[in-house]
Amino acid sequence: EYYIGNHDILKRKRTIIGKDGNKQEIDNLPNNRIVDNQYARIVDQKNSYLLSKPVTICCNDENFTDNIEKIFDKTFYRLIKNIGEDAINCGIGWLYIFFDESGNIGFKRFKPYEILPIWLDEEHTILECLLRIYNIEDYCFNNKNIITQVELYTKTGIKYYILDNQKLILDKSKGFKPYIYNSYKSPLSWDKIPIISFKFNSKEIPLIKRVKTLQDSLNTIRSDFMNNMQEDARNTILILKNYDGTNLSEFRKNLSEYGVVKVKTIDGNEGGVEALKVNIDSNNYELLAKALKKAIIENARGYDCKDENIGQNPNQMNIQSAYADIDLDASLMETEFQASFEMLFWFIKKYFSHIYKKDFNDINIDIIFNKDILINETEAINNCVKSMGIISKETIISMHPWVSNIKQELSKI
């Protein structure tokens, strides 16, 4: 909700102390609800930093690597990037492995808030089973009904239910479905549930837990400043001198409707109206907003792209210093994703073994995440030139900032 901009400030109400001493809502004062969504910016920073570039696959079998690259296309990397966003927002993301109608392996993202996992171990690494709970809309004679569907994933397959009055009723139209069929249309199953978790961290704690109160405070500061700027004589506190007229509520109504106050002199004392104003110093608001933004970046472990050190002296040491916090979080996330990719390759090896009638279990695969960090290109290129004759050409080319595919570049040379 916070990522898409639905913050608590949007529900804020202006209140006053009523006659009985309790708060009561009023609607005749400015009530701005401004969302300054720094949280979403940090989420995109982290996700793009680690997952914006395709991973590098290192394998001792070129044929296996070529087949993997056919599966890991641009659609797959977009899916992984979306799962990374889920992991940051919800603490954990989910990837479902299935076979399409042509018998080819496919991947689907499950929304984390629809998933109820049942784990076998305390470390949450082995699934005993998993429930997917979601709502669908059903129309009958122009009447919309919300039906809660429940899917139970076990080692043998998927059972389909409908949740009605807190009771699970078997969906007879779907019943039970195995994950795989052989050539004789007989059901098969994996040795594991074909759903893989991608965690933000080992505790599965979402990023919003670190910065929600800071984000709410920033929204409040922005909204309060706008409220104070909009208050004028028609909604601020007024001081009446020698006012001879109707009651105060009617006075307020006339002031709001006509914008004019009629006063007169009583007993030689001149009448008048004054507004009780509090001078608004915008610098105070701006300083506080700036401090909150900095606190959000620090607590969320992001980086400040407007850091003065980078602008004034953009050497590699200053750049790495600015990226230190986000790199710390990315390294923790990378560790979890490495384990998830290892599980994913287990399923792919089984799939290839079935297709090519060959055992791929002995193949070693390493995944390298290509982090999207700013670099001083001139400095990096100079270091590559100075390394000529000391290390291999392939290693030097892999570190060159203009090279994206090492094999193609060596072939061109």
Side-chain angles (χ1 to χ4, degrees), residues 15-34:
T15 58
I16 60 171
I17 304 300
K19 293 180 181 179
D20 54 0
N22 296 323
K23 288 184 178 180
Q24 66 181 56
E25 184 183 353
I26 55 172
D27 56 7
N28 61 347
L29 287 177
N31 186 18
N32 288 279
R33 303 178 180 96
I34 298 174

Side-chain angles (χ1 to χ4, degrees), residues 56-68:
T56 300
I57 301 171
C58 299
C59 178
N60 54 3
D61 188 322
E62 288 190 8
N63 186 38
F64 185 86
T65 304
D66 292 338
N67 287 317
I68 282 286

